Amino acid sequence: MIDVEMRSVTKRFGPVVAVDEVSLQVRQGEFLTLLGPSGCGKTTTMRLVAGLETPTSGEILICEQCVTHLPPYYRNVSLMFQNYALFPHKNVFDNIAFGLKYRKVPGEERKQRVKESLALVHLPGMESRYPRQLSGGQQQRIALARALVVRPAVLLLDEPLSNLDLKLREKMRIELKQIQEQVGITFVFVTHDQQEALMLSDRIAVMDKGKLVQVGTPREVYERPQSRFVAEFVGQSNFLEGHIVNHCADATEVRLSSGLHLSIPASPHLTTGSKVTVQVRSERVRLFAERPLDCGHEFTAIVERVIYSGDTIQYLLQLESHDLLLATCPTTSAPPLNRGASVWVGFDSEDCLVLPGD
Amino acid sequence: MTTLTARLSVMQRLRTRPFLRGLVLVGPAATWLFLFLAVPLVLVLVYSFWTYRPGGIMEHTFTLENYARFLSQPVYGRILWRSFSVGLQTTVLALLLSYPTAYYLARRPSGSHLLIFLILVPFWTSYLIRIFSWMLILMERGVLNSVLLGLGIISQPVRLLFTPLAVVVGMTYSALPFMILPIYSVLKGINPDLIQAAKTLGANELQAFVEVTLPLSMPGVMAGSVMVFIQGAGNFLAPAILGGTGADLMANVIANRFIEAFNWPFGSALSMVFLVAMLVFLLLVNKWAALESIYGPKK
């Protein structure tokens, strides 16, 4: 069953096209993330589903019913706001019971459901507190409880973790995923944090300039980006520009603008001479003290810059051809190299991904 | 160079000595208020216990006679009541007119600086002139009657001027900015996400307004109401010019005792009664509204 369906939805604000012909289906019980940089239209997309904006054109369906022109209070959708939007003049009980009141849930059941939802977010007995008496993390849990207690078909979450400090955010990520699995409600999660998207989602929908540019599982989006934008936005990569010079049976040869030749997995759909960008993930670039024997490509390089970040260490390397390569290595893998050191660099042909040239 | 360091050191000395700093910052205004508010107030309190002798002479002997007179002559009680009543009528009318305006201004997506500026324009003319201009509107052959006659809505000019209604109308007009601005600024500060959150939880436009916007705007409503009520109940000019004889408020009666009857002790006693009545009323309103606890107890 499809819980949310958008059919070529467009939203314009004056001359600005915030959402451009977006078509998307969210399956029941799915955790779908809208991922993109700020201003890409992901929040507007979510607000369109909530009914806080009306599309300029296109249709929105929730649980297979057309809701395009229904106001938010007739849609079975909850929204968790980035700043939580708890009512400051109502205590926790009245905040959580708010939606139940307007769904005409009787008093006794209301109490019971508020209690259950507080247990769900691990804050039992908080009914009589006011929002200003709660910490940021607690406010966020109350906002989650308030959104879930009405048992919506879909819960929309607008960057809910971005106001928390790192440790709390990491903890809440895990908790959010657990709660979603527990209640089985469809989540549409908006974020600009690719790490968050990769960790939480069943599927990721990447947006850029109002358009949906790729929809897929985290693994698909990470390992098979369909455009330079997605490849650049998710993870850290090297992008080497060149053009196709030759096709063989099991490989394609690319000549980089620096003169370097790379052999990449066969891509017969690309004609000889066409411009391409070759993507190599920085963690796929390996360093060796001596010439490696098992790599598809190997080069000598000089360490230009060393960036230490705890679990990993990054080296910016200059090849003899003057190409720059970024390599991310686990800190434990080898003794650290210093700036200026000479080293062998290698990566496999399978680690080269061809993106259509810009 | 030396003067610069000397100046700096004075500033630094102030910074490290909070009492001295407070004195420098608050002292001038406090002195002013003490000389021209606290001192006269104490004098009025003292006068109210002195004895009046015909011919405007104040005898320095203690008496409760002035207060007894207020209690024994029901006309003063009625005027006190009328002051409160006219003040409340003005407040309610101004509130009803101001809230929608303030709401509109606060919600206007394209900003409202020009409109707010226009609201403040009447303040460029004196209060007296603005009240007099209401005379021209409300007179028997004034603007309003002429229009109503011309449209055939009435056949005889209606008596508008020199009625309590004229007082309320004139005071409401000058009260509007004092009501609109505080409500506007509080409404403007309400996080729009709160209203949207109420809607996504199932409340319609009206319910979201009643549940969220209205309670959160109460601090502005109270601030405006208190200002307008005090201005209204204590008003002197509007009743004097627009009200005629039957519409005197406490301020007019008090002025009359001082200026015409030369009865300073009784005038002082009326002032004290009015002052205490207003204070008690405002304290009760404040307690009832309990605005400091709308966000729950402090941490």
Side-chain angles (χ1 to χ4, degrees):
Chain A
M1 178 150 153
I2 303 299
D3 262 357
V4 180
E5 183 170 2
M6 303 182 77
R7 291 182 184 160
S8 49
V9 172
T10 295
K11 176 66 183 176
R12 286 197 189 86
F13 295 105
V16 182
V17 184
V19 175
D20 195 357
E21 292 281 326
V22 166
S23 293
L24 179 66
Q25 292 188 335
V26 189
R27 299 169 200 137
Q28 188 174 38
E30 188 176 28
F31 196 124
L32 181 123
T33 299
L34 291 171
L35 176 68
S38 53
C40 73
K42 56 192 193 298
T43 296
T44 308
T45 305
M46 187 208 63
R47 289 170 60 83
L48 285 163
V49 175
L52 296 170
E53 307 285 356
T54 314
T56 312
S57 65
E59 272 190 319
I60 298 171
L61 288 86
I62 291 169
C63 299
E64 291 164 2
Q65 288 196 319
C66 179
V67 298
T68 314
H69 297 286
L70 278 187
Y73 39 91
Y74 292 135
R75 300 185 184 198
N76 195 14
V77 164
S78 276
L79 172 58
M80 193 173 150
F81 289 81
Q82 186 172 12
N83 58 29
Y84 318 140
L86 293 176
F87 305 126
H89 58 302
K90 293 180 186 288
N91 64 20
V92 167
F93 180 88
D94 289 333
N95 262 286
I96 298 179
F98 192 93
L100 299 176
K101 186 169 149 190
Y102 288 101
R103 280 168 173 77
K104 308 255 180 334
V105 174
E108 258 325 291
E109 195 193 332
R110 232 186 263 178
K111 265 186 210 151
Q112 190 53 37
R113 276 171 69 175
V114 170
K115 205 171 158 189
E116 283 168 15
S117 69
L118 280 173
L120 183 71
V121 297
H122 309 299
L123 286 175
M126 290 290 239
E127 280 93 340
S128 57
R129 300 280 193 93
Y130 277 80
R132 74 164 171 190
Q133 298 171 298
L134 305 173
S135 69
Q138 288 173 327
Q139 289 186 21
Q140 196 208 32
R141 287 153 193 255
I142 299 301
L144 182 61
R146 182 177 73 173
L148 283 173
V149 76
V150 297
R151 297 174 188 154
V154 183
L155 176 63
L156 308 167
L157 303 101
D158 185 9
E159 310 214 8
L161 303 178
S162 62
N163 286 345
L164 302 177
D165 59 61
L166 183 66
K167 277 287 148 209
L168 197 54
R169 188 163 42 192
E170 284 172 348
K171 192 169 159 229
M172 280 308 292
R173 265 182 209 160
I174 297 165
E175 221 170 279
L176 203 59
K177 184 70 182 166
Q178 281 173 347
I179 287 172
Q180 195 258 343
E181 281 163 4
Q182 206 175 329
V183 295
I185 289 174
T186 310
F187 274 34
V188 176
F189 186 91
V190 167
T191 187
H192 61 263
D193 183 335
Q194 43 115 0
Q195 197 74 38
E196 222 164 80
L198 292 172
M199 286 173 70
L200 290 172
S201 318
D202 295 322
R203 282 194 305 155
I204 298 174
V206 187
M207 289 188 75
D208 179 33
K209 298 185 190 110
K211 285 195 163 73
L212 214 52
V213 290
Q214 188 171 354
V215 183
T217 62
R219 192 173 275 271
E220 282 166 358
V221 169
Y222 190 81
E223 292 179 4
R224 289 199 299 280
Q226 284 163 7
S227 63
R228 169 99 186 235
F229 173 80
V230 176
E232 244 175 310
F233 195 74
V234 182
Q236 240 174 350
S237 300
N238 296 288
F239 296 98
L240 307 164
E241 272 153 37
H243 59 272
I244 308 248
V245 286
N246 196 12
H247 283 292
C248 306
D250 56 349
T252 295
E253 203 181 327
V254 176
R255 186 189 150 95
L256 302 184
S257 33
S258 60
L260 220 58
H261 281 252
L262 294 182
S263 105
I264 60 170
S267 323
H269 58 286
L270 295 166
T271 50
T272 307
S274 59
K275 279 185 74 180
V276 290
T277 302
V278 177
Q279 180 202 11
V280 184
R281 291 268 176 216
S282 70
E283 73 270 17
R284 300 290 180 142
V285 177
R286 287 176 290 160
L287 303 185
F288 305 90
E290 289 161 26
R291 180 170 192 150
L293 301 171
D294 58 341
C295 284
H297 305 95
E298 67 270 341
F299 314 98
T300 54
I302 306 283
V303 174
E304 277 279 305
R305 199 176 286 271
V306 182
I307 303 154
Y308 175 81
S309 59
D311 55 343
T312 60
I313 188 159
Q314 292 190 324
Y315 297 106
L316 186 65
L317 306 153
Q318 186 166 46
L319 309 186
E320 273 174 355
S321 60
H322 296 291
D323 283 306
L324 287 172
L325 268 188
L326 187 71
T328 305
C329 311
T331 318
T332 49
S333 65
L337 297 165
N338 291 324
R339 193 173 165 182
S342 294
V343 72
W344 278 90
V345 185
F347 50 87
D348 295 330
S349 293
E350 292 77 58
D351 295 329
C352 298
L353 202 72
V354 182
L355 303 165
D358 306 326
Chain B
M1 194 63 203
T2 41
T3 48
L4 187 64
T5 35
R7 257 189 231 157
L8 269 177
S9 71
V10 168
M11 299 300 280
Q12 273 160 353
R13 225 177 294 154
L14 283 181
R15 192 163 295 230
T16 52
R17 292 166 71 177
F19 177 75
L20 197 66
R21 191 172 157 201
L23 202 66
V24 168
L25 292 175
V26 182
T31 312
W32 196 270
L33 281 175
F34 178 77
L35 285 178
F36 299 107
L37 183 73
V39 169
L41 204 60
V42 171
L43 285 179
V44 169
L45 180 66
V46 171
Y47 291 168
S48 73
F49 291 109
W50 281 351
T51 312
Y52 170 75
R53 290 276 173 261
I57 298 153
M58 252 195 312
E59 205 176 87
H60 297 192
T61 42
F62 179 84
T63 178
L64 289 173
E65 190 193 317
N66 300 312
Y67 290 97
R69 184 168 164 203
F70 171 80
L71 292 174
S72 62
Q73 296 185 345
V75 61
Y76 296 109
R78 273 206 300 278
I79 291 169
L80 181 63
W81 168 245
R82 191 193 293 146
S83 297
F84 273 76
S85 161
V86 165
L88 284 175
Q89 286 171 43
T90 306
T91 308
V92 170
L93 196 59
L95 184 59
L96 291 178
L97 292 172
S98 300
Y99 201 101
T101 313
Y103 187 85
Y104 171 78
L105 292 174
R107 286 301 175 81
R108 236 174 97 88
S110 53
S112 39
H113 294 294
L114 178 71
L115 293 173
I116 287 175
F117 171 76
L118 289 178
I119 288 172
L120 293 173
V121 161
F123 280 90
W124 295 357
T125 43
S126 104
Y127 186 62
L128 190 64
I129 289 170
R130 280 182 284 138
I131 291 295
F132 269 122
S133 60
W134 272 100
M135 257 180 113
L136 297 176
I137 296 169
L138 299 174
M139 284 191 314
E140 202 174 312
R141 301 203 172 277
V143 178
L144 195 57
N145 268 319
S146 307
V147 170
L148 291 177
L149 281 171
L151 290 174
I153 295 169
I154 52 171
S155 53
Q156 290 282 315
V158 183
R159 185 185 152 88
L160 297 166
L161 196 58
F162 305 135
T163 61
L165 180 68
V167 180
V168 173
V169 167
M171 290 198 312
T172 301
Y173 153 75
S174 48
L176 287 180
F178 293 101
M179 195 63 105
I180 292 172
L181 292 179
I183 298 176
Y184 163 79
S185 77
V186 172
L187 282 175
K188 190 93 185 157
I190 295 176
N191 177 1
D193 283 353
L194 295 178
I195 295 140
Q196 299 189 338
K199 286 190 205 163
T200 59
L201 289 167
N204 63 29
E205 304 280 343
L206 181 67
Q207 288 162 337
F209 174 78
V210 171
E211 288 265 14
V212 180
T213 313
L214 190 62
L216 289 178
S217 68
M218 282 319 279
V221 169
M222 281 307 295
S225 297
V226 166
M227 259 194 289
V228 170
F229 174 76
I230 291 171
Q231 280 184 27
N235 205 298
F236 171 77
L237 273 178
I241 293 167
L242 302 175
T245 46
D248 274 354
L249 301 186
M250 280 303 273
N252 308 87
V253 177
I254 292 167
N256 179 280
R257 292 314 97 159
F258 274 95
I259 296 162
E260 282 168 35
F262 289 109
N263 190 343
W264 286 33
F266 186 49
S268 300
L270 286 178
S271 301
M272 292 318 295
V273 168
F274 188 46
L275 184 68
V276 171
M278 289 281 271
L279 280 179
V280 169
F281 178 74
L282 291 174
L283 282 175
L284 287 177
V285 166
N286 193 32
K287 200 174 161 87
W288 168 76
L291 282 182
E292 63 276 13
S293 62
I294 63 167
Y295 304 127
K298 290 212 176 83
K299 248 183 194 171

